[in-house]
Amino acid sequence: MTDSTAPERSRSLPPGPPYPRALQTLGWMRRPGPFLERCRERYGDTFTLRIAHEDCWIVLSDPDVVKEVFTGNPATLHAGEANAILRPLLGDQSVLLLDDEAHLVKRKLMLPSFHGERMERYGELMREIAEREIASWPRQQTLALLPQMQALTLEVIMRAVFGVDRGPRLDRLRALLRRLLDYTMDPRTLVPLVLLGPERLAFIPQLRRVFDQVDLALHEEIAQRRQEPGLAERDDVLSLLLEARYDDGTGMSDQELRDQLMTLLVAGHETTATALSWAIERLVRHPDKLQRLRDDVAAGSNEYVDAVAKETLRLRPVIPIVVRQLVEPMEIGGWALPAGIRVAPCIHLIHRRPDIYPEPARFRPERFLESPPGTYTWIPFGGGIRRCLGASFALFEMQVVLGAIVTHARLRAPVSAGERVRRRAITWTPSRGAEVLVEADDARAPNERTAATQPQAAEAVSA
Ligand code: HEM
């Protein structure tokens, strides 16, 4: 790690809090949103933070400057290197951790699985899983939705990735993944993460044991699938990846496959579950919006549910920043930045700009009915050639699941105060896990009960 406190270098960096790294880390960990907002007020749209074992972050919250990063040369702006914190979990070959040619090649192989017609075929599956899950929710009591949403989105991504839902190997893998994620996302894990750094985290014996078990389960699944006939006819992601070929005719090794599967399973479910939980947390505190959503879905439209998903991801982005590491010096936003520094387009701050989003703290899905999101002003999925590979899949899943929830359950806020943002490792989640009061089924008006039994318009929902 370079000495970011060297006086000649700090002079060339944008201003930032003058207090010690430990205090900045505390602000970032405890109340990240207000901390970032205070920094912007004090130091402007571009400022420097010093967080834990990370080198300096140059936080960016001007869309024009963010555009410079997202459209900049990927050979200079390395995302893989900047995502090193995820290496122990995802593995060296993960598309999230690679840069340059290796990244592009893997991304190209994976992209088709999550786009267009192929992705829309998951709609029926998503709705089925959502309806089954909703039917199991206990009525007339308070329920934290986040764990329910995690179970639901894990099921969706596992079915999309492996193509089947039954079998002892997958049941075991499902249970192991939950254990692994509960452990790695636990805010208490942040303490060793901050103290040890990501590379050494994997050597904690308790964590190592779960990692090893998950690895074994994934390798067993890959080996089994390799031997199965008719791979070309299957359309699950694992089969597609097994069939995919690089330009030289070779396929992915088992280790590469393991890392991509792990990446999709982790990136694909915790994030979407959190976004869904926030959507409900906001909706139950805005009964007029909830009612409008219910009416719109019952009328077979997907317009409002799309706006709700987008507004939720604006106001409560699951991931607050994305990071790129400069491989060589680069001028960004008028600052001549040295190699080695990390630039961080700040999703949270961009989404809170009053010049782009009037009354930015207000939950108002209508704003996305009035004008579509901008490429550099609505960035919950990051941007450029690193933009989230599952963005369409996630938006589609949010639409289908929210549609199913408002059709099949009556929810209320148990208390009027909204939930605060709580950090679960790298995601920002509702502090009480999105608690809702699930009313008895007969709390619905008779005409709504009839509507709920009608086939929904999810086929028409497009991402
Ligand atoms: C609401 C849900 C989701 C959110 C908020 C989200 C957010 C993000 C963000 C912020 C990035 C980094 C982008 C950047 O560095 O510019 C990312 C990358 C990625 N996401 Fe998502 N994601 C979500 C769902 C998913 C799903 C469902 C999948 C898989 C099915 C997925 C797979 C990935 C992958 C593979 C990458 C790495 C892309 C690359 O480096 O080329 N994500 N996501």
Side-chain angles (χ1 to χ4, degrees):
M1 195 163 66
T2 48
D3 177 15
S4 51
T5 55
E8 11 4 310
R9 182 163 148 193
S10 15
R11 265 203 296 276
S12 71
L13 301 181
Y19 38 88
R21 184 178 288 268
L23 279 184
Q24 297 190 36
T25 307
L26 206 65
W28 166 248
M29 281 170 59
R30 291 198 49 202
R31 301 221 43 212
F35 173 68
L36 287 169
E37 284 156 39
R38 272 198 312 275
C39 288
R40 174 163 66 187
E41 265 164 40
R42 199 158 302 165
Y43 307 107
D45 283 340
T46 302
F47 55 89
T48 303
L49 287 186
R50 293 179 176 81
I51 304 287
H53 57 270
E54 298 272 325
D55 201 348
C56 291
W57 279 351
I58 311 299
V59 179
L60 312 173
S61 63
D62 176 335
D64 291 336
V65 180
V66 166
K67 183 176 176 186
E68 288 176 34
V69 172
F70 284 162
T71 56
N73 181 0
T76 305
L77 294 147
H78 273 186
E81 243 172 284
N83 289 334
I85 194 167
L86 298 167
R87 193 176 304 280
L89 184 61
L90 305 183
D92 293 336
Q93 296 294 316
S94 161
V95 68
L96 253 160
L97 295 166
L98 294 170
D99 284 302
D100 301 325
E101 186 62 16
H103 164 255
L104 274 186
V105 169
K106 289 226 163 41
R107 189 173 160 101
K108 211 169 102 194
L109 284 193
M110 296 170 76
L111 212 53
S113 305
F114 296 101
H115 273 265
E117 209 186 293
R118 184 159 275 143
M119 189 205 63
E120 295 207 3
R121 261 188 267 154
Y122 299 132
E124 190 55 41
L125 169 78
M126 290 169 177
R127 188 165 52 253
E128 242 178 70
I129 294 172
E131 287 177 357
R132 204 169 59 209
E133 191 67 31
I134 296 162
S136 76
W137 292 350
R139 269 35 182 186
Q140 285 184 294
Q141 49 178 279
T142 300
L143 178 71
L145 276 191
L146 182 60
Q148 316 293 327
M149 292 295 139
Q150 285 164 342
L152 193 161
T153 57
L154 180 58
E155 198 59 36
V156 168
I157 193 72
M158 284 198 63
R159 293 278 297 271
V161 166
F162 297 111
V164 286
D165 64 337
R166 307 261 176 267
R169 276 199 321 273
L170 285 187
D171 289 343
R172 189 157 167 272
L173 179 57
R174 190 180 293 112
L176 282 170
L177 275 171
R178 267 275 36 104
R179 241 173 68 207
L180 179 65
L181 287 169
D182 282 343
Y183 193 84
T184 47
M185 298 289 171
D186 188 325
R188 282 166 298 184
T189 308
L190 261 187
V191 177
L193 185 70
V194 166
L195 294 177
L196 298 175
E199 300 300 339
R200 274 171 287 175
L201 192 67
F203 295 106
I204 299 174
Q206 197 183 353
L207 194 54
R208 189 67 264 166
R209 254 197 313 279
V210 194
F211 273 139
D212 290 345
Q213 287 173 332
V214 172
D215 266 6
L216 191 67
L218 283 174
H219 278 294
E220 276 175 10
E221 202 50 50
I222 293 166
Q224 175 75 24
R225 188 64 60 87
R226 273 200 198 280
Q227 288 167 5
E228 281 175 21
L231 270 190
E233 282 87 63
R234 299 183 61 141
D235 62 1
D236 57 88
V237 178
L238 174 52
S239 302
L240 291 169
L241 291 182
L242 276 166
E243 286 284 292
R245 291 288 171 270
Y246 296 119
D247 288 345
D248 67 359
T250 59
M252 283 196 199
S253 69
D254 282 3
Q255 191 55 41
E256 282 175 277
L257 279 164
R258 176 266 171 222
D259 291 357
Q260 304 326 330
L261 293 183
M262 193 67 184
T263 301
L264 294 174
L265 292 168
V266 172
H269 103 276
E270 184 77 22
T271 44
T272 316
T274 307
L276 280 164
S277 304
W278 275 124
I280 297 294
E281 189 277 341
R282 287 295 77 203
L283 282 168
V284 292
R285 289 179 176 80
H286 296 82
D288 54 327
K289 317 274 182 219
L290 183 55
Q291 189 56 47
R292 178 164 182 185
L293 177 58
R294 190 174 287 128
D295 293 344
D296 208 55
V297 169
S301 160
N302 70 316
E303 223 179 45
Y304 199 66
V305 73
D306 181 57
V308 165
K310 289 184 172 134
E311 175 68 344
T312 303
L313 288 166
R314 178 195 71 82
L315 188 59
R316 296 286 187 271
V318 175
I319 295 173
I321 58 165
V322 291
V323 185
R324 306 284 186 263
Q325 178 149 332
L326 294 193
V327 174
E328 49 193 51
M330 185 176 167
E331 190 178 309
I332 296 178
W335 292 92
L337 300 175
I341 208 110
R342 291 182 173 189
V343 289
C346 185
I347 300 171
H348 172 78
L349 288 179
I350 293 260
H351 288 186
R352 292 279 175 140
R353 288 185 68 108
D355 53 340
I356 301 166
Y357 299 105
E359 297 184 273
R362 233 179 107 195
F363 178 70
R364 207 177 71 80
E366 287 73 9
R367 57 176 104 233
F368 288 108
L369 298 177
E370 291 149 15
S371 47
T375 312
Y376 304 104
T377 53
W378 186 77
I379 54 166
F381 297 106
I385 63 148
R386 305 304 298 226
R387 184 168 190 266
C388 174
L389 211 130
S392 307
F393 187 92
L395 278 173
F396 185 52
E397 186 173 358
M398 284 182 75
Q399 292 176 13
V400 175
V401 174
L402 287 173
I405 293 177
V406 296
T407 303
H408 296 288
R410 271 260 165 184
L411 306 178
R412 271 198 297 129
V415 289
S416 57
E419 299 193 23
R420 295 208 352 206
V421 172
R422 173 175 179 255
R423 178 194 286 283
R424 250 172 79 83
I426 56 170
T427 55
W428 284 11
T429 58
S431 55
R432 297 191 295 277
E435 281 182 348
V436 290
L437 196 73
V438 189
E439 294 186 351
D441 286 341
D442 55 13
R444 273 177 287 154
N447 61 337
E448 283 180 75
R449 259 176 266 148
T450 321
T453 61
Q454 302 295 320
Q456 280 304 298
E459 290 92 332
V461 173
S462 66

